[in-house]
Amino acid sequence: MTFRSTPTVFVIDDDVEVRASIQALLKAAGLYSESFGTAEEFLCNQAPDGPSCLVLDVSLPGVDGLELQQKLTDACVPIPIIFITGHGDIPMTVKAIKSGAVEFLTKPFVDQDLLNAIQQAFDRDRITRHQQGELAELRKRYESLTVRERQVMGLVVSGMLNKQVAFEHGTSEITVKIQRGHVMAKMQAESLAELVRMAAKLDLPVSKK
């Protein structure tokens, strides 16, 4: 699987007719799809790096749908999942949804219900990718800071004043003011509040005052 700007629906079902039927529906709706007969076949391919979602049968030979969901979670592959099943039950549904599934549809399902769930999945995927992009950019900015600038940032977002940071580092308040200015510029933060929010997103340890 290589990067595709066009959203892709991955269909995993061991029933050839079901796969063909779903892919025909998706094609008619103008959606691109790829299908697999088992979870293992899907896992043998490179993880999708473009907009995507997964239409996944619960009952599969070998690795079943719920096990695949857990494997993807463990591998940090946040692909939205729509479960389909011919014999679902409430505990199974609850487990899937609690683990992040977008929808749980029982066969035979209404075509529009599947298409609606896929649209919801793409919307979720779009939001996730946007958030990941923002976080990657923040990390890039943070990595551009010097060791001392990172230390200053940590103390500043903890609520310390320039003079307190200067005392902590055994330097002058003017030096800290300059370093703080560098931090704000490199992080592209327009205010202290914004810098604090950035530190929270980066999950940085907050220095004790």
Side-chain angles (χ1 to χ4, degrees):
M1 303 174 199
T2 55
F3 179 81
R4 296 180 60 90
S5 58
T6 301
T8 302
V9 181
F10 295 102
V11 182
I12 306 179
D13 196 302
D14 61 327
D15 189 316
V16 177
E17 292 184 0
V18 171
R19 293 203 307 273
S21 176
I22 292 176
Q23 286 197 281
L25 170 65
L26 299 177
K27 184 176 181 180
L31 297 171
Y32 175 80
S33 67
E34 294 181 16
S35 69
F36 305 87
T38 66
E40 287 86 347
E41 288 179 21
F42 177 76
L43 290 171
C44 283
N45 285 263
Q46 183 179 345
D49 58 1
S52 59
C53 73
L54 182 58
V55 176
L56 176 61
D57 187 20
V58 174
S59 301
L60 292 170
V63 176
D64 66 30
L66 293 175
E67 290 173 333
L68 176 58
Q69 181 185 37
Q70 187 59 54
K71 285 179 179 295
L72 292 173
T73 297
D74 293 343
C76 297
V77 179
I79 181 171
I81 297 175
I82 300 158
F83 278 105
I84 55 176
T85 181
H87 50 273
D89 54 41
I90 292 178
M92 185 185 295
T93 303
V94 170
K95 181 178 180 180
I97 297 299
K98 280 189 174 181
S99 296
V102 174
E103 186 58 275
F104 198 103
L105 301 175
T106 302
K107 303 174 185 176
F109 46 78
V110 177
D111 288 350
Q112 192 58 51
D113 287 345
L114 177 59
L115 293 175
N116 290 343
I118 288 173
Q119 184 57 57
Q120 183 180 346
F122 281 151
D123 289 342
R124 180 184 293 188
D125 187 59
R126 194 173 297 112
I127 292 172
T128 298
R129 289 177 181 280
H130 177 70
Q131 292 174 336
Q132 289 178 331
E134 284 189 331
L135 185 57
E137 175 60 27
L138 279 181
R139 284 175 177 156
K140 183 178 179 181
R141 295 177 195 173
Y142 184 72
E143 288 170 0
S144 73
L145 302 180
T146 65
V147 173
R148 178 48 63 90
E149 287 167 351
R150 293 181 189 182
Q151 293 171 344
V152 168
M153 177 175 170
L155 295 174
V156 167
V157 298
S158 75
M160 281 191 177
L161 301 174
N162 288 349
K163 61 182 180 181
Q164 294 173 310
V165 176
F167 179 79
E168 185 76 16
H169 286 167
T171 188
S172 69
E173 189 173 343
I174 294 297
T175 298
V176 171
K177 186 175 181 179
I178 293 172
Q179 292 168 336
R180 179 170 174 169
H182 289 165
V183 169
M184 298 294 285
K186 290 182 179 180
M187 293 300 296
Q188 297 180 31
E190 296 183 358
S191 66
L192 174 59
E194 187 176 4
L195 189 67
V196 171
R197 286 192 291 270
M198 289 177 175
K201 287 181 180 179
L202 290 168
D203 197 24
L204 300 180
V206 178
S207 302
K208 300 289 185 180
K209 286 194 285 185

